[in-house]
Amino acid sequence: MIWRVDVAAKEGLTDPTSRGAQAALQEFGLRRITRVRAFQVYLLDGDLDRPAADRIARELLHDPVAQEYLLTPGTEPPAAAQDTRTILVFKRPGVMDPVEASALKAVADLGLKVRRVRTGMRYAVAPALDAGLREAAAKVLGNEAIE
């Protein structure tokens, strides 16, 4: 089963990743964007039940002081907030993900096993713009050669 863990800075805390994404999209010409919230996304592929996946998220994938996480089945992505568009950025197949190797080792150190860990970013952009958002995201939120 694949579990999805979305990790973000707690509401109210400074989040440089979200601020940087918002500034980059605005500089690209999407000046109407008023808010971007960035999430690190982890896809855990293994024979894990919910408590085991939650343990990985809780103990390895987030900082409980500054971050919060949401655990969902990989087939059920989190619902988008009202009046937002979601942008997902993952590495292309075959591109090395340096986080995967360290995550696999850390999971093994917990006494658990996963076959694979994929990492990516999710950006929730408000307001829900259609015009130009896909092009802007491809240019400023990802590297088209590898993501």
Side-chain angles (χ1 to χ4, degrees), residues 49-145:
D49 58 12
R50 185 175 198 89
D54 188 64
R55 181 175 177 213
I56 293 168
R58 190 178 61 252
E59 294 184 24
L60 298 178
L61 302 179
H62 93 295
D63 171 359
V65 173
Q67 296 175 317
E68 55 195 13
Y69 71 92
L70 178 64
L71 176 67
T72 58
T75 57
E76 300 172 23
Q82 188 173 9
D83 196 33
T84 65
R85 286 285 184 259
T86 299
I87 299 165
L88 288 173
V89 180
F90 281 92
K91 294 198 179 348
R92 292 185 184 274
V95 174
M96 188 186 123
D97 185 350
V99 175
E100 180 179 23
S102 60
L104 289 171
K105 182 181 180 328
V107 168
D109 289 347
L110 287 178
L112 299 170
K113 184 177 179 187
V114 293
R115 286 182 288 279
R116 184 159 185 219
V117 177
R118 285 194 69 202
T119 62
M121 292 296 297
R122 173 170 67 104
Y123 300 93
V125 179
L129 303 175
D130 288 322
L133 184 57
R134 184 182 186 98
E135 178 187 1
K139 297 289 184 193
V140 302
L141 299 180
N143 178 339
E144 291 183 90

Side-chain angles (χ1 to χ4, degrees), residues 25-37:
L25 289 169
Q26 288 173 334
E27 287 175 19
F28 192 81
L30 301 178
R31 306 223 186 280
R32 290 185 39 222
I33 290 177
T34 58
R35 183 167 191 259
V36 174
R37 187 159 190 220

